[in-house]
Amino acid sequence: MKALILPLRWGRRMLDYGQQVIRDFSWHRRLSHPDMPSIGARVWEQARLLYHSGISGEDYYHHALYRSDLTFYEKTKFLGRFRFKRYYRTINPVKFDVLARDKVIFHMLATALNIPTPRLLAVTRNPREPEPTFSRPLETLDELRTFLREESSQNIFFKPADEWGGRGALSLGTKIAGQEAWRMLPGNGVVTLDEVIAHVCREGEMRRFLIESRLNPHEMLENIVPGVCSTVRLMTLVDSQGVNVVGATLRLGSGHGPTDNLCGGGVVAGIELESGRLCKVVSLAGDTPTYFSSHPFSGVEVSGKILPDWAELVRLAVESARKLAFLPCIGWDIAITDNGPIIVEINSRPDCAPVQVGNDEGVLTGAFRELLCENNGTMNSGLHIR
Amino acid sequence: MSPVMKVSKVTHRNIGYIRQLCKDLPWHLRFRSHGMPPLIYRVIEQARLLFYSAIDGEDYYNLGLFRSNMPFTEKSKFLGYYKHFRYYDRINATDLVLLARDKVVFHMLAKGLDLPVPELLAVTLSKHEPGYGRRLVDEVSLENFLRENNSYDLFFKPAIGSFGNGALALGEKIPGTDLWRKLPGNTEISLSEIIEHVQIDGEMVRFLVQRRLRPHPLFHQIVPDVCSTVRIMTYTDDEAVSVLGAVLRLGNGREPTDNLSGGGVVVAIDLTTGALGAVINIDKGTPERMTAHPVSGEPITGKYIPGWRDLLDLVQAAALKLSFLPCIGWDIAVTDEGPVIVEINSRPRCRSIQVANDKGMLTGVFREVLLKHDGTLHSGLHLKNH
């Protein structure tokens, strides 16, 4: 039976690679430029990288792997997002994934483990869908209205419990006197009570949102992008030797949305792990990296600055990684607030792009590479990095 | 689902029933001379019940369903344990089952939700598994922990386990030695025996090391040094908690836990008053009714569970907090300091409640919710016909 299934699975896998290469062709055609190698060379190189390290067409251009001054060996150190679940499954047990994926459950765990997280004020949810809730449950529109009408309901952050990439987040500032409306952040637009309710509901049903106290970013970060709590994405890996920091990057919002995700139009700046010094600012607005020394929208200088509370932030991530060692590889989103670092959320299948793009360096080195190599070339991992 | 797939699944399911009936035959053969209905009659009846409500051979005799004075409609109200995950997976989301099954994760969750649970002193573990509090990762750290002055009155509970298997209760430390009193029974147990208990092939197994709960004097008198628990089953829907049934479980006095499968007894509870009813023992395979504990001889029937109202309030409040697992089997210890949640079960075996109350649980809201998936390939139940 095994002898029959294995070739079938292998055939399906090869078909999957073939389909991906065809899908990626549009990236190669769209981003053709006279400075780049020929389209044939790029397609062939990306197909090899897809097989080696899961580099899709999107990854290939986001990481500027078309550059001819980069050796192929250097390029194979970048880890792509193609079927990323496969390789993360070989590190983080699937059964524990829910503890990171569900932001409400993570909040409960963090509370129990004394991991600092934003203050959770309430959770909205549809009463007909029994999903985890914590703190004050808001299950009807009336309950949500009552909560929002309370005087203390200002400077709050709505975060969807199951979404990723910053989708669906809403940040409210202070209440506008005499109205049922708030300043919407960033930008100081106005959002009314009905608009907030419409945001939380879909087709008349409440969706599950965490309502947290909005974090006040550290002054240095507030100066760069006002009204957005920028976070550090730090990746850790726990192995028999202890906690390894795989890489880190600062994510800065574009200033137009409430989050700082790269896929939401934000920019990243690599971080020197030893000192916390910020490297160049990178934007992927044109789908290939563009480098700046200052924030492209606010114009505030970023490169060369030292992140505040850096040592404290690394210590917090390392200590927390030990507490959550049952998920050996974690991508931490840590806000640097005026009260020190706070863990906003964790990712058990973190996108390596922000760290790799920010530092212009692949993460497939050291302990992370070693661990992935243990399952290298098997049907499970989907990587062939050796 | 394609017709071919459906036919294949139905065939597979029916083969499963036939194999189970073959496995159940020894039960029928074992009891053929006890003034019961003829063998063939019992085999056919149990086969029908297996199909309707998952009653396997063990359930059939443990629950006394062979009785000819009980109509078949009454018998079909009893829920069996055959492939129980099928029907529970229709109620409790499978990815959240981890929160109940992994006792360390549950402890963290309970701490986050402010639920009363036993004090967790340490966790023994060797791999990257969920831990909490002090981590005892090798023999040396466990030895050091056990040699500390406050290492007495301890309860070792496997992090993943059921039916009380692997539990170990220690009483006082014998002064000047590396020996403890093992409970119940007050025999001696040495340091090396404890270390051996928490290891398999020299590897540390994950155990929770809790402070031993002290049973309420009423229960201490019946079974000394074993913390007897109340098993309550709840179903939560639309913010309403329904108590499906409750039973008191008393150990046999030889083992540290009170599970029925370890030779203990169960006692029916009047849900309104907390009054204790008949005492049932199923050591011989069929229910034996009595009024006192079979080992200690202490009378039980007619007594009341101390703090019954508080216990019910605790369960109802906790069920609302954990409403993302609609059906829960709660194990609540009645201690000298009030009720404490020992653990929860997201796929609870209904046998103890049904046998004690001599009544099937497939009634009311529980039946309604199971009927929603009745007759489908997933649920494995066919309740509609009865």
Side-chain angles (χ1 to χ4, degrees):
Chain A
M1 194 66 179
K2 251 189 180 172
L4 186 71
I5 286 172
L6 209 63
L8 272 175
R9 283 187 70 190
W10 189 81
R12 215 177 71 174
R13 180 69 53 97
M14 289 300 131
L15 201 66
D16 199 25
Y17 282 128
Q19 283 177 340
Q20 184 61 32
V21 169
I22 292 167
R23 270 197 296 265
D24 288 337
F25 192 70
S26 59
W27 280 89
H28 297 294
R29 214 171 42 184
R30 186 162 64 84
L31 296 173
S32 276
H33 189 275
D35 294 343
M36 291 179 185
S38 68
I39 190 164
R42 279 179 283 136
V43 170
W44 173 240
E45 186 177 60
Q46 187 246 312
R48 287 175 69 196
L49 289 169
L50 181 71
Y51 182 76
H52 281 293
S53 44
I55 296 286
S56 66
E58 188 179 359
D59 295 319
Y60 187 72
Y61 288 96
H62 281 179
H63 294 99
L65 298 182
Y66 47 79
R67 284 172 292 175
S68 39
D69 59 332
L70 212 56
T71 62
F72 187 77
Y73 176 68
E74 281 299 314
K75 292 177 186 179
T76 58
K77 287 184 182 163
F78 285 80
L79 183 59
R81 288 285 285 173
F82 176 67
R83 306 278 187 247
F84 60 97
K85 283 183 193 170
R86 285 185 197 151
Y87 55 79
Y88 277 125
R89 251 197 312 244
T90 64
I91 305 177
N92 293 334
V94 180
K95 63 180 177 181
F96 297 136
D97 190 52
V98 68
L99 306 178
R101 197 186 62 231
D102 190 306
K103 296 180 177 83
V104 176
I105 293 179
F106 171 68
H107 196 92
M108 293 184 210
L109 284 192
T111 306
L113 291 167
N114 282 327
I115 295 174
T117 48
R119 192 158 73 92
L120 185 60
L121 305 170
V123 176
T124 63
R125 72 163 180 180
N126 182 348
R128 277 184 294 196
E129 286 176 26
E131 291 173 307
T133 182
F134 189 60
S135 182
R136 180 172 162 184
L138 305 173
E139 298 191 327
T140 63
L141 293 183
D142 284 342
E143 283 175 355
L144 177 58
R145 269 195 201 97
T146 307
F147 170 81
L148 288 169
R149 282 178 179 142
E150 288 168 11
E151 194 48 40
S152 56
S153 293
Q154 6 191 10
N155 287 315
I156 51 180
F157 188 76
F158 285 73
K159 181 159 73 174
D162 310 300
E163 294 274 1
W164 60 278
R167 270 179 283 236
L170 174 69
S171 183
L172 305 183
T174 50
K175 269 186 174 161
I176 298 171
Q179 293 180 42
E180 285 193 331
W182 291 258
R183 292 273 166 222
M184 190 161 102
L185 297 172
N188 277 332
V190 174
V191 61
T192 63
L193 182 95
D194 289 339
E195 284 169 333
V196 174
I197 288 172
H199 184 89
V200 174
C201 295
R202 184 182 289 154
E203 293 165 5
E205 302 275 4
M206 295 270 270
R207 289 189 292 158
R208 198 158 59 112
F209 274 80
L210 286 82
I211 307 178
E212 298 172 338
S213 274
R214 200 170 68 79
L215 298 170
N216 288 323
H218 188 279
E219 193 185 353
M220 179 197 138
L221 298 170
E222 173 73 9
N223 284 341
I224 300 172
V225 195
V228 178
C229 200
S230 304
T231 59
V232 168
R233 161 62 63 89
L234 188 138
M235 275 178 70
T236 57
L237 180 77
V238 182
D239 64 8
S240 51
Q241 306 301 312
V243 182
N244 305 277
V245 177
V246 176
T249 194
L250 173 67
R251 307 189 307 176
L252 295 159
S254 62
H256 304 307
T259 60
D260 57 4
N261 300 71
L262 192 55
C263 56
V267 295
V268 291
I271 303 172
E272 284 178 16
L273 291 180
E274 291 297 313
S275 60
R277 185 185 300 277
L278 294 169
C279 308
K280 281 181 186 162
V281 176
V282 190
S283 164
L284 289 177
D287 279 328
T288 57
T290 315
Y291 297 93
F292 305 89
S293 62
S294 55
H295 191 279
F297 302 106
S298 68
V300 177
E301 197 66 22
V302 175
S303 301
K305 284 189 174 167
I306 307 276
L307 271 180
D309 299 327
W310 176 246
E312 169 72 7
L313 185 150
V314 174
R315 191 191 56 75
L316 171 65
V318 169
E319 264 182 23
S320 306
R322 274 196 204 106
K323 290 178 180 173
L324 300 178
F326 50 91
L327 288 170
C329 183
I330 290 180
W332 304 84
D333 289 347
I334 307 178
I336 305 179
T337 73
D338 52 359
N339 274 324
I342 283 185
I343 293 171
V344 174
E345 61 186 61
I346 63 167
N347 304 272
S348 57
R349 294 167 185 165
D351 184 0
C352 302
V355 173
Q356 296 183 134
V357 168
N359 297 285
D360 194 16
E361 203 178 62
V363 293
L364 285 175
T365 56
F368 194 40
R369 186 185 183 88
E370 296 284 312
L371 199 63
L372 286 169
C373 271
E374 283 175 18
N375 292 287
N376 186 56
T378 64
M379 285 303 287
N380 292 330
S381 101
L383 298 177
H384 304 83
I385 48 182
R386 200 167 268 153
Chain B
M1 196 188 294
S2 73
V4 179
M5 192 80 132
K6 199 167 177 181
V7 169
S8 136
K9 277 199 147 187
V10 170
T11 311
H12 184 79
R13 181 69 49 100
N14 288 333
I15 290 172
Y17 283 129
I18 292 165
R19 285 173 64 176
Q20 182 59 38
L21 289 174
C22 294
K23 269 190 260 186
D24 289 336
L25 200 61
W27 279 92
H28 297 295
L29 293 171
R30 186 177 147 197
F31 290 105
R32 65 176 159 180
S33 59
H34 287 61
M36 290 177 180
L39 175 72
I40 188 69
Y41 179 90
R42 282 180 280 134
V43 170
I44 290 171
E45 186 175 62
Q46 187 245 314
R48 288 176 69 197
L49 288 169
L50 181 70
F51 183 73
Y52 288 132
S53 47
I55 296 285
D56 62 17
E58 188 179 1
D59 292 322
Y60 186 73
Y61 288 96
N62 284 178
L63 297 166
L65 299 183
F66 49 82
R67 287 169 287 175
S68 44
N69 58 358
M70 190 188 258
F72 189 79
T73 45
E74 277 305 307
K75 293 179 183 179
S76 65
K77 285 181 185 161
F78 284 79
L79 182 59
Y81 207 54
Y82 172 70
K83 307 273 193 227
H84 60 287
F85 52 86
R86 283 186 194 153
Y87 53 81
Y88 278 126
D89 286 357
R90 303 303 111 215
I91 304 176
N92 292 332
T94 45
D95 60 343
L96 299 179
V97 161
L98 168 83
L99 304 177
R101 203 186 61 225
D102 188 306
K103 295 179 176 86
V104 178
V105 173
F106 172 68
H107 188 91
M108 292 192 239
L109 187 74
K111 280 290 183 194
L113 290 169
D114 219 7
L115 300 176
V117 283
E119 186 190 356
L120 183 58
L121 302 169
V123 176
T124 64
L125 70 170
S126 60
K127 292 179 200 143
H128 294 151
E129 294 170 310
Y132 185 78
R134 191 162 160 186
R135 287 156 186 266
L136 308 175
V137 292
D138 50 29
E139 278 185 35
V140 178
S141 54
L142 178 57
E143 263 182 45
N144 291 340
F145 169 79
L146 287 169
R147 286 196 168 122
E148 285 169 12
N149 287 338
N150 60 353
S151 290
Y152 59 90
D153 274 343
L154 303 176
F155 188 74
F156 286 75
K157 180 158 76 170
I160 306 272
S162 48
F163 309 128
N165 294 333
L168 172 69
L170 305 182
E172 59 167 10
K173 217 174 195 173
I174 300 171
T177 65
D178 271 344
L179 297 169
W180 283 258
R181 293 270 170 223
K182 189 176 159 186
L183 299 174
N186 275 325
T187 54
E188 287 176 359
I189 182 166
S190 66
L191 184 78
S192 56
E193 283 171 324
I194 298 170
I195 291 172
E196 200 180 310
H197 186 89
V198 299
Q199 288 183 328
I200 291 178
D201 297 332
E203 284 270 301
M204 296 286 264
V205 177
R206 201 157 52 112
F207 273 79
L208 288 83
V209 189
Q210 299 172 330
R211 181 68 70 202
R212 196 171 68 82
L213 295 171
R214 293 182 172 277
H216 188 278
L218 173 77
F219 298 127
H220 182 74
Q221 206 179 342
I222 299 170
V223 193
D225 298 322
V226 177
C227 202
S228 306
T229 60
V230 172
R231 160 64 62 93
I232 298 192
M233 266 182 75
T234 57
Y235 180 76
T236 309
D237 188 19
D238 289 336
E239 289 303 287
V241 180
S242 310
V243 176
L244 305 178
V247 71
L248 171 68
R249 306 186 309 176
L250 295 162
N252 58 11
R254 293 183 295 273
E255 303 293 332
T257 59
D258 58 3
N259 300 71
L260 182 58
S261 42
V265 294
V266 289
V267 189
I269 302 175
D270 183 308
L271 288 180
T272 323
T273 61
L276 295 172
V279 180
I280 314 289
N281 177 266
I282 55 166
D283 273 356
K284 290 178 185 155
T286 56
E288 258 186 289
R289 294 184 176 268
M290 46 197 88
T291 56
H293 192 275
V295 180
S296 68
E298 282 291 324
I300 297 169
T301 305
K303 290 187 172 165
Y304 288 84
I305 301 263
W308 176 244
R309 202 60 252 170
D310 293 343
L311 193 151
L312 274 186
D313 290 346
L314 167 66
V315 168
Q316 290 194 327
L320 284 177
K321 287 182 179 176
L322 299 180
S323 60
F324 51 86
L325 290 172
C327 185
I328 292 180
W330 303 84
D331 289 347
I332 314 282
V334 184
T335 74
D336 52 359
E337 291 179 338
V340 170
I341 301 172
V342 173
E343 61 186 60
I344 63 168
N345 304 273
S346 56
R347 292 166 179 166
R349 191 166 191 170
C350 304
R351 183 180 64 177
S352 57
I353 293 179
Q354 296 182 129
V355 75
N357 297 290
D358 197 18
K359 209 169 85 174
M361 291 182 65
L362 288 172
T363 56
V365 66
F366 195 41
R367 185 183 182 87
E368 294 290 313
V369 72
L370 286 171
L371 272 173
K372 284 184 196 164
H373 304 280
D374 190 55
T376 65
L377 266 172
H378 296 299
S379 102
L381 300 176
H382 303 82
L383 311 174
K384 259 180 200 139
N385 304 339
H386 288 270

